Amino acid sequence: MSLDDLVVATEKIDTVYVTKLQGNLNNFTAQRCINSIVSSLKHGSVILDLEELTMVTTQGIQAFRTLSEEAFLQKHKIILINLPVSVRQAFQMAGIKNLFPIATNEEGAFKMASRGVR
């Protein structure tokens, strides 16, 4: 997988969209990621599975900040699951805490998504 590869796969389950990111979130892929997730946010909350996200650059961190703002504007949630150590470290280095709720598994994420807006 090259640096400009990011697979964004979305599946709708009831009123929640489960989006899996696979690859790299960087300046080459950030806008495509944002567009895909914002499209889902217009219709409901999003569970963002990051298990196969291998790299997040500063542009990727900015994409997460943009998605947080969009979730607020759309009055829906983005819940993160399966954060790799590399993503947690990128968030720490960027000084990001509590930008998104983080669930321990998909079942917990669905429970969080079904509650009211944050």
Side-chain angles (χ1 to χ4, degrees):
M1 188 169 278
S2 69
L3 286 177
D4 60 349
D5 283 346
L6 179 72
V7 177
V8 182
T10 302
E11 173 186 8
K12 183 179 180 190
I13 301 174
D14 294 324
T15 59
V16 178
Y17 292 81
V18 179
T19 299
K20 296 183 182 198
L21 300 181
Q22 178 184 10
N24 303 307
L25 187 55
N26 56 35
N27 58 320
F28 300 112
T29 60
Q31 194 57 52
R32 183 169 20 124
C33 176
I34 291 168
N35 293 344
S36 179
I37 295 170
V38 167
S39 176
S40 297
L41 272 174
K42 291 178 181 177
H43 306 287
S45 292
V46 173
I47 296 172
L48 198 52
D49 185 343
L50 306 179
E51 185 173 23
E52 296 183 44
L53 189 62
T54 53
M55 181 181 69
V56 178
T57 65
T58 54
Q59 192 66 33
I61 294 294
Q62 187 57 44
F64 279 112
R65 287 187 171 125
T66 300
L67 289 171
S68 176
E69 293 167 9
E70 284 294 327
F72 180 79
L73 292 172
Q74 299 293 335
K75 296 183 170 67
H76 292 294
K77 294 179 186 177
I78 295 177
I79 299 138
L80 305 182
I81 59 172
N82 301 325
L83 274 77
V85 172
S86 61
V87 174
R88 288 182 189 273
Q89 289 173 337
F91 280 10
Q92 267 184 331
M93 289 172 53
I96 294 176
K97 288 185 180 180
N98 304 320
L99 190 61
F100 299 103
I102 299 172
T104 54
N105 56 36
E106 200 168 294
E107 182 181 333
F110 274 101
K111 287 179 183 176
M112 291 171 125
S114 66
R115 290 188 213 132
V117 178
R118 56 181 173 153

